[in-house]
Amino acid sequence: MTRALIALTSHRQLGNTGRDTGFYVGEAAEPWEVFRAAGWDVDLVSVAGGQPPVDGHDPDDATQNAFLATAGVENTPKAAEVDPTGYDVIMFAGGHGTMWDFPNDPDLARIAASIYERGGVVAAVCHGPSALVNLRLSDGSHLVAGKRVAGFTNEEEAAVGLTDEVPFLLADKLTEAGATHVPAPNWNEQVIVDGRLVTGQNPQSARALAEAVVTAVQAG
């Protein structure tokens, strides 16, 4: 039985805007649905545990509603409590909150590096690749170094008016870590597969990302 872990941010303050943020529901719900349809066990984890803050919930979206009702969002384990050895996949859901707590969380990094080095798949969508900007493997190298990746683009950040609010620009940080960031036009579906690293650009890419993860696992 394949087991997947979906990682969620615990950060709710959107810079100095006075607005709340969190994890973007569709970017967790759609992969959750795809993975479960593949027959996988799917667990959630968040940086701080408990109920992570929710952003972007569409109350008319049946997939999102099912996810919020049944996936265990209200009581997630914290990353520090998770043993990675049982998991074949970790998928970092996006949402602007990830930009503050994903990059420097040692336990998310520990989980992802362990899964990857045991032959598993690491995936991330939209702002979720913020978890990858500082992620190093046991030999000290960046996981993304020399790999092609997708992630929320500088142009998309500008389009939502948050260039000066986020702590860094995701595409630039991925590039600094040695990745080649491959952008598509704003809000277009874009999924990049580079071996066992699968990344997606924006909310529009979440379902296709999950389907690519399933394909990568099946390819073994």
Side-chain angles (χ1 to χ4, degrees):
M1 170 70 75
T2 299
R3 295 183 69 208
L5 190 63
I6 297 177
L8 308 174
T9 180
S10 296
H11 184 91
R12 70 173 62 245
Q13 183 177 348
L14 186 55
N16 296 311
T17 63
R19 291 150 49 195
D20 286 343
T21 186
F23 79 91
Y24 209 74
V25 179
E27 295 171 19
E30 291 178 13
W32 171 82
E33 184 175 73
V34 170
F35 295 162
R36 284 168 50 89
W40 297 3
D41 282 341
V42 186
D43 295 330
L44 307 181
V45 64
S46 65
V47 174
Q51 166 76 62
V54 168
D55 196 7
H57 175 216
D58 177 358
D60 296 322
D61 187 296
T63 298
Q64 293 185 20
N65 291 338
F67 172 79
L68 292 172
T70 65
V73 180
E74 70 284 350
N75 189 27
T76 62
K78 64 175 64 174
E81 300 167 346
V82 170
D83 177 358
T85 56
Y87 291 99
D88 307 286
V89 172
I90 185 168
M91 201 287 295
F92 293 98
H96 271 94
T98 63
M99 296 285 282
W100 281 269
D101 64 356
F102 273 12
N104 297 307
D105 186 79
D107 293 295
L108 287 180
R110 169 184 59 83
I111 295 166
S114 172
I115 290 171
Y116 191 79
E117 292 188 325
R118 285 185 296 101
V121 173
V122 172
V125 66
C126 198
H127 287 92
S130 60
L132 308 177
V133 299
N134 296 322
L135 179 56
R136 293 180 183 269
L137 302 175
S138 56
D139 65 0
S141 66
H142 280 99
L143 187 152
V144 299
K147 294 185 172 64
R148 299 168 72 249
V149 299
F152 206 65
T153 68
N154 293 355
E155 291 75 19
E156 286 169 324
E157 204 69 82
V160 296
L162 292 171
T163 300
D164 295 328
E165 294 294 338
V166 290
F168 55 87
L169 291 175
L170 179 56
D172 292 353
K173 278 287 190 185
L174 289 166
T175 301
E176 287 174 24
T180 299
H181 181 256
V182 185
N186 290 5
W187 322 123
N188 282 26
E189 179 186 298
Q190 173 83 326
V191 175
I192 300 293
V193 180
D194 194 328
R196 292 179 290 104
L197 178 65
V198 184
T199 47
Q201 179 168 315
N202 46 32
Q204 292 76 11
S205 307
R207 186 171 296 276
L209 171 105
E211 292 166 350
V213 169
V214 172
T215 298
V217 169
Q218 291 171 344

